[in-house]
């Protein structure tokens, strides 16, 4: 992309061609969602059955929502708040736009807390603490000692803010693009190593073969939240990317390419981590249920058992650090541009406001396992709560807003015309069906069950 967009009326820069677009979106899609979040959810919510539900959701909803958001962005040449308001000015349009725009601001705060954990591990591998990191309890001690976790969180967040303030975002993204293929290669190598450990095959089976006994409604809720998160759907991001997309780029094809690529990386990360749970912890249920800690508990054991584990660990955490940094930058940038465009703030002020939100919510997340462990919301730690709030409550609402905008206001035909500017719209009829019936009904059911579970009406 050539230059930063600003405001409404000025000409926007654009991606060069489909490859440029796919690389940019894939670069933003691949992040902690694939490497950290997917494996722990898959481990917790049933392995193969989670993957199956995830794939079904991705090829139905995921596809329909990506096409919609991208087309709306390209049609209006606006980020979400502006895109919604291009069709109406009543409070419902404002609400829909803002819902999409606020989500990245919530996510980036706890994303930076995880980014801090990654930075800490990177630092420890630099010091050669390979064996130490693999000790049972190392990670839980680290996050329980709040000042340590908070220090690394602040450091990571400052890196994000400095990159934005110094205006070197594109430079960092360029570096990250070069590193992305390396991350894929290293992940293939680590997954290969991991699945060939004794006992690891059980884990491969657990991840890849659906076992219907493991199915629960929560599998569906979690898979849907993960799909939103990982593909950067229902958080305004794809509106913005769509607004930079040229008219001749094939929306449908690029959507498939991004979806498949993103899922492949998630499965690869699952293959690094889940078989290792079986090889090194005997598939213990408490490890499978470790949640956000899983990657940090498991991966160091894999590296500690390798001959050249320190080098591999160092490279791995460096690459994950870059993926996390670029994702955090693009999430924060989305918040910053909303503040600039909608509140009329100068860029510096907008960055400072974003920074204040990150420091506040992110500190509460990072200290939630130690000093603030008494502070729980609806029985969840702050980090888990923000994650739940964004993925299980706000994103379904944002996605629903997009469905309604498409079917009730803009009209499916207009979206089809937008898509057809570049090529035939092969999945047009299915797309219409997904947007009109399947997606809204299903999203509503998931949303209501999330609310019911939070209120303790149903247990999932
Ligand atoms: N999809 C990214 C991930 O999987 C998160 C993200 C969302 C990054 C939006 C940038 C923009 O980690």
């Amino acid at each position: 992309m050539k230059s930063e967009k600003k405001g409404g009326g000025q000409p926007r820069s654009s991606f060069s061609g489909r490859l440029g677009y796919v690389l940019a979106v894939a670069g933003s899609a691949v992040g902690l969602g694939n490497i950290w979040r997917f494996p722990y959810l898959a481990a917790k919510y049933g392995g193969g059955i989670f993957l199956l539900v995830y794939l079904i959701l991705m090829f139905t909803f995921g596809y329909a929502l990506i096409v919609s958001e991208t087309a709306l962005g390209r049609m209006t040449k606006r980020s979400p708040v502006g895109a919604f308001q291009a069709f109406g000015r009543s409070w419902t349009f404002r609400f829909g736009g803002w819902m999409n725009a606020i989500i990245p601001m919530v996510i980036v705060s706890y994303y930076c807390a995880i980014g801090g954990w990654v930075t800490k591990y990177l630092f420890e591998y630099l010091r050669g603490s390979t064996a130490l990191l693999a000790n049972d309890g190392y990670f839980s001690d680290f996050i329980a000692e709040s000042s340590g976790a908070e220090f690394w969180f602040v450091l990571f967040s400052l890196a994000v803010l400095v990159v934005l303030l110094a205006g070197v975002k594109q430079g960092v993204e360029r570096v990250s693009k070069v590193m992305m293929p390396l991350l894929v290669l290293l992940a293939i190598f680590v997954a290969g190593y991991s699945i060939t450990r004794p006992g690891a095959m059980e884990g491969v089976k657990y991840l890849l073969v659906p076992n219907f006994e493991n199915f629960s409604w929560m599998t569906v809720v979690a898979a849907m939240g993960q799909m939103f998160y990982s593909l950067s759907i229902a958080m305004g991001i794809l509106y913005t990317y769509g607004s930079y997309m040229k008219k001749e780029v094939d929306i449908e094809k690029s959507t498939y390419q991004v979806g498949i690529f993103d899922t492949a990386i998630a499965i690869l990360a699952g293959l690094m981590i889940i078989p290792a749970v079986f090889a090194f912890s005997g598939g213990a249920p408490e490890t499978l249920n470790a949640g956000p800690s899983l990657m940090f508990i498991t991966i160091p054991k894999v590296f500690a058992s390798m001959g050249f584990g320190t080098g591999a660990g160092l490279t791995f955490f460096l690459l994950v650090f870059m993926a996390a940094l670029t994702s955090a930058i693009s999430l924060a940038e989305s918040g910053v541009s909303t503040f600039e465009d909608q509140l009329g703030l100068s860029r510096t002020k907008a960055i400072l406001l974003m920074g204040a939100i990150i420091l506040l919510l992110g500190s509460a997340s990072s200290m939630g396992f130690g000093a603030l462990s008494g502070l729980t919301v609806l029985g969840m730690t702050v980090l888990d709560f923000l994650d739940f709030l964004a993925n299980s409550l706000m994103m379904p609402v944002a996605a629903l807003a997009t469905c309604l905008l498409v079917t009730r206001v803009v009209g499916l035909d207009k979206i089809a015309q937008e898509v057809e500017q570049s090529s035939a719209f092969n999945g047009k009829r299915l797309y219409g069906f997904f947007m009109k019936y399947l997606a809204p009904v299903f999203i509503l059911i998931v949303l209501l069950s999330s609310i019911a579970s939070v209120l303790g009406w149903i247990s999932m």
Side-chain angles (χ1 to χ4, degrees):
M1 201 169 23
K2 278 164 226 106
S3 67
E4 283 296 302
K5 60 109 224 200
K6 213 45 5 81
Q10 291 168 34
R12 292 173 93 85
S13 53
S14 53
F15 297 112
S16 46
R18 189 171 93 228
L19 186 65
Y21 179 78
V22 170
L23 283 179
V25 178
S28 132
V30 174
L32 291 175
N34 309 63
I35 300 158
W36 157 76
R37 201 171 185 276
F38 177 87
Y40 89 68
L41 290 176
K44 189 165 173 184
Y45 294 113
I49 190 74
F50 176 86
L51 180 58
L52 180 67
V53 173
Y54 182 84
L55 289 174
I56 295 174
L57 290 179
M58 194 193 80
F59 284 110
T60 53
F61 289 67
Y63 150 79
L65 283 165
I66 301 185
V67 168
S68 304
E69 295 190 9
T70 312
L72 285 167
R74 190 167 80 174
M75 191 188 279
T76 58
K77 295 261 167 279
R78 298 278 195 284
S79 300
V81 180
F84 271 77
Q85 289 188 8
F87 299 102
R89 298 232 144 230
S90 68
W91 73 268
T92 37
F93 292 94
R94 281 178 208 277
F95 177 79
W98 276 101
M99 198 60 170
N100 274 278
I102 288 174
I103 292 169
M105 304 178 194
V106 175
I107 296 184
V108 71
S109 59
Y110 74 87
Y111 206 92
C112 287
I114 315 290
W117 300 350
V118 171
T119 318
K120 155 83 177 175
Y121 272 53
L122 174 59
F123 174 73
E124 289 299 335
Y125 276 105
L126 262 175
R127 288 210 302 190
S129 323
T130 315
L132 184 70
L133 294 176
N135 284 343
D136 284 334
Y138 180 86
F139 182 71
S140 48
D141 290 347
F142 160 60
I143 54 175
E145 189 223 317
S146 306
S147 52
E150 178 67 8
F151 170 79
W152 293 102
F153 154 71
V154 171
L155 200 67
F156 184 86
S157 309
L158 284 179
V160 172
L161 296 173
V162 165
V163 168
L164 289 179
L165 278 171
V168 291
K169 177 171 163 268
Q170 275 150 22
V172 175
E173 277 165 2
R174 228 169 291 137
V175 175
S176 157
K177 250 181 223 157
V178 179
M179 294 176 90
M180 198 62 78
L182 292 178
L183 177 61
V184 177
L185 287 181
L186 186 69
I188 294 175
F189 169 75
V190 177
Y193 179 83
S194 197
I195 61 182
T196 47
R197 292 311 88 203
M201 262 309 140
E202 274 309 302
V204 177
K205 260 199 240 148
Y206 181 76
L207 175 64
L208 298 182
V209 183
N211 177 350
F212 289 84
E213 276 172 21
N214 291 340
F215 181 83
S216 75
W217 183 243
M218 201 52 204
T219 309
V220 181
V221 176
M224 181 142 128
Q226 172 61 13
M227 184 198 74
F228 289 151
Y229 191 103
S230 189
L231 293 171
S232 319
I233 306 174
M235 48 175 102
I237 300 280
L238 296 172
Y239 282 87
T240 310
Y241 275 104
S243 73
Y244 299 130
M245 187 194 219
K246 284 190 179 147
K247 294 286 181 197
E248 57 274 15
V249 174
D250 185 333
I251 293 189
E252 222 184 0
K253 212 180 222 169
S254 43
T255 297
Y256 273 121
Q257 287 174 343
V258 170
I260 289 169
F261 182 71
D262 187 72
T263 309
I265 306 279
I267 295 176
L268 203 53
L271 284 174
M272 295 192 301
I273 292 174
I274 295 180
V277 175
F278 284 78
F280 296 99
S281 315
E286 67 273 18
T287 314
L288 281 178
N289 286 326
S293 315
L294 186 69
M295 174 177 105
F296 298 91
I297 299 175
T298 311
I299 279 284
K301 294 196 196 294
V302 177
F303 292 134
S305 77
M306 280 180 181
F308 38 91
T310 305
L314 183 61
T315 320
F316 177 78
F317 278 97
L318 178 66
L319 297 172
V320 175
F321 172 80
M322 284 307 292
L325 185 67
T326 46
S327 285
I329 290 170
S330 73
L331 285 163
E333 173 66 36
S334 148
V336 168
S337 61
T338 303
F339 290 146
E340 282 179 284
D341 293 355
Q342 304 304 323
L343 307 182
L345 295 185
S346 70
R347 185 162 174 84
T348 310
K349 281 201 184 126
I351 294 173
L352 294 179
L353 178 58
M354 191 65 245
I357 295 175
I358 294 179
L359 286 180
L360 189 75
L361 295 180
S363 296
S365 307
S366 112
M367 293 203 268
F369 301 92
L372 292 181
S373 61
L375 175 68
T376 56
V377 190
L378 300 165
M380 291 176 250
T381 61
V382 177
L383 193 151
D384 276 329
F385 172 72
L386 290 177
D387 190 71
F388 177 81
L389 175 72
N391 295 278
S392 303
L393 298 179
M394 296 176 78
M395 289 191 201
V397 175
L400 207 53
T402 298
C403 287
L404 294 178
L405 183 67
V406 165
T407 53
R408 298 288 172 88
V409 182
V410 182
L412 289 165
D413 288 342
K414 269 202 124 167
I415 302 281
Q417 275 168 23
E418 181 64 42
V419 174
E420 281 163 354
Q421 293 207 6
S422 54
S423 51
F425 188 0
N426 298 320
K428 185 161 147 187
R429 293 198 29 215
L430 269 178
Y431 167 79
F433 171 72
F434 293 153
M435 289 304 287
K436 221 168 166 173
Y437 303 108
L438 192 71
V441 171
F442 195 79
I443 293 171
L444 210 59
I445 298 176
V446 166
L447 179 63
L448 292 178
S449 48
S450 299
I451 296 174
S453 83
V454 148
L455 296 177
W457 293 346
I458 52 170
S459 65
M460 295 200 288

